[in-house]
Amino acid sequence: MLAAISQRLDGAHGGCDSLETSYGRYFSNFDTTLIPIPNESDNVGSYFSELAIGAVILSGGGDISPSLYGADMSEGGVYTPKRDETERGMIDNAIVRGIPILGICRGMEAINVYFGGKIRKVGAEELNHDETRHEVSILAPSVKELLGDNKAEVNSYHRMVVGADQLAPDLVGFASSPDGTIEGLY
């Protein structure tokens, strides 16, 4: 299967598209060939019309522009509007074509924002989500059944989170960390 995957955009003003090599290694286990989508593509749809894309993967890394979810731009962070635009185009094309979307870390946040949800910085009273491993509770019975457990250990490398009160209206949280932030959604 061919899967379109978004790339990190290193540098706020242009820079270089990059994709962690671990994505290629991991998804090759599922007979999936990744098609990296450049952040400078003015026509994301051409990849979908010219190739038999069977899935969309929104990769991790970096922050989503706060203007997309009505937050203050002074929060600090490195924002890449071209990546935001590319990922929104990928989601648009996936929806029109009925293609499944997987969001990893920032990608999950991008899906939530796309559907009208919000994200925020991790609060001082919350669990550290930056370069750590922690347990999550599996909330959805169907996912508990799939995993065979109601707990799972995950790694975290992010400073932004989806709070339980920030979930987009049409999305369901299926995993949460001990501080109540959403760690998985559909």
Side-chain angles (χ1 to χ4, degrees), residues 35-67:
I35 305 297
I37 305 298
N39 289 303
E40 287 298 322
S41 175
D42 290 332
N43 188 5
V44 171
S46 66
Y47 289 88
F48 291 83
S49 60
E50 294 176 21
L51 300 171
I53 303 291
V56 167
I57 302 166
L58 304 178
S59 65
D63 294 329
I64 298 167
S65 299
S67 62

Side-chain angles (χ1 to χ4, degrees), residues 14-165:
C16 179
D17 287 337
S18 65
L19 187 63
E20 294 176 34
T21 56
S22 60
Y23 286 118
R25 283 193 307 269
Y26 180 77
F27 285 103
S28 70
N29 293 320
F30 302 98
D31 199 27
T32 299
T33 301
L34 300 179
I35 305 297
I37 305 298
N39 289 303
E40 287 298 322
S41 175
D42 290 332
N43 188 5
V44 171
S46 66
Y47 289 88
F48 291 83
S49 60
E50 294 176 21
L51 300 171
I53 303 291
V56 167
I57 302 166
L58 304 178
S59 65
D63 294 329
I64 298 167
S65 299
S67 62
L68 294 177
Y69 53 94
D72 184 1
M73 290 292 282
S74 66
E75 268 195 24
V78 176
Y79 308 118
T80 51
K82 285 300 271 181
R83 180 175 181 184
D84 295 334
E85 181 182 322
T86 299
E87 288 182 335
R88 290 181 79 75
M90 292 172 72
I91 295 171
D92 285 341
N93 278 279
I95 290 170
V96 167
R97 291 169 169 80
I99 297 171
I101 306 167
L102 171 66
I104 300 168
C105 195
R106 178 197 197 275
M108 183 194 81
E109 295 166 2
I111 292 168
N112 189 54
V113 167
Y114 180 92
F115 286 102
K118 298 183 181 291
I119 57 176
R120 63 175 166 72
K121 270 183 154 175
V122 174
E125 70 286 352
E126 293 174 314
L127 181 71
N128 175 19
H129 289 267
D130 190 20
E131 296 188 42
T132 189
R133 297 184 69 79
H134 61 85
E135 192 172 81
V136 296
S137 296
I138 306 303
L139 308 172
S142 60
V143 178
K144 284 181 188 178
E145 185 178 318
L146 181 67
L147 295 177
D149 201 349
N150 62 355
K151 302 277 186 198
E153 187 177 76
V154 298
N155 61 0
S156 285
Y157 291 93
H158 52 95
R159 61 183 203 92
M160 304 298 286
V161 294
V162 177
D165 61 339

